[in-house]
Amino acid sequence: MSRLMTPQLEETLEGYPLYSQDGKGKEAVCRATFALGAVRWFILEGEREENDTILFGIVVGLAEDEYGYISLNELSEVELDLTAQGLGKLQVRLQENFTPTPLKNLQDFRLQQFLARFEH
C-alpha cells in the first residue's frame, strides 16, 4: 500500500470512482491535493486497482498543466534529492485536512488559468 494512502484520503475518495465527475468541468469537486514544491496535483476521483489506487485529476507546475491518471504508488515514489543544496530529499505530500471543494473555488492561479482554457 502506498505511503500516501491515509484513512482520510480513502474516506474522501469513497463514492467518487473514476469517471464519476465526467463533464462537470469547473463544477467538479476536488477531493484531495498533493504537492511537491511548485507542482500540485488536484485529485477529482479515484479507485483501488489491485495493490494500487488510480487517481484522476489535474497536475499544474510541470512543463505542461494537464488532466490525467495518476498511480498513487508511483506518486508516493517521486523524490527530489536536494541534499547537495542542503535541503535533503523532498517527497510528494498530501495536504492534510483539505476540505473537498469545487475546482472553480480553489484559490490557485495556475489551476484557474488551466481551467479557463476550456471555457466557451
Side-chain angles (χ1 to χ4, degrees):
M1 178 139 86
S2 164
R3 70 171 179 80
L4 292 173
M5 181 52 82
T6 64
Q8 177 190 356
L9 179 60
E10 198 162 12
E11 183 179 318
T12 196
L13 290 174
E14 194 171 304
Y16 289 89
L18 296 177
Y19 314 110
S20 63
Q21 296 195 76
D22 271 3
K24 290 191 176 182
K26 291 174 89 170
E27 300 295 327
V29 174
C30 178
R31 309 302 305 167
T33 63
F34 294 96
L36 176 63
V39 181
R40 294 162 318 279
W41 290 264
F42 299 92
I43 305 304
L44 303 177
E45 49 199 34
E47 63 186 61
R48 301 230 3 115
E49 257 186 37
E50 296 178 21
N51 65 343
D52 197 1
T53 299
I54 304 303
L55 306 168
F56 181 77
I58 301 168
V59 60
V60 299
L62 293 172
E64 292 269 339
D65 299 335
E66 62 185 358
Y67 281 103
Y69 293 92
I70 305 130
S71 157
L72 193 60
N73 286 347
E74 289 178 13
L75 194 61
S76 70
E77 293 172 6
V78 173
E79 185 175 87
L80 272 176
D81 188 352
L82 299 175
T83 51
Q85 293 80 9
L87 297 173
K89 294 182 180 180
L90 304 179
Q91 296 179 314
V92 174
R93 300 264 184 238
L94 173 67
Q95 181 182 339
E96 298 292 330
N97 301 316
F98 177 79
T99 302
T101 305
L103 290 172
K104 68 180 183 181
N105 295 340
L106 292 174
Q107 301 298 308
D108 184 285
F109 179 75
R110 192 145 176 187
L111 172 66
Q112 294 306 325
Q113 258 189 327
F114 172 77
L115 292 170
R117 295 180 6 204
F118 299 99
E119 292 178 351
H120 296 66

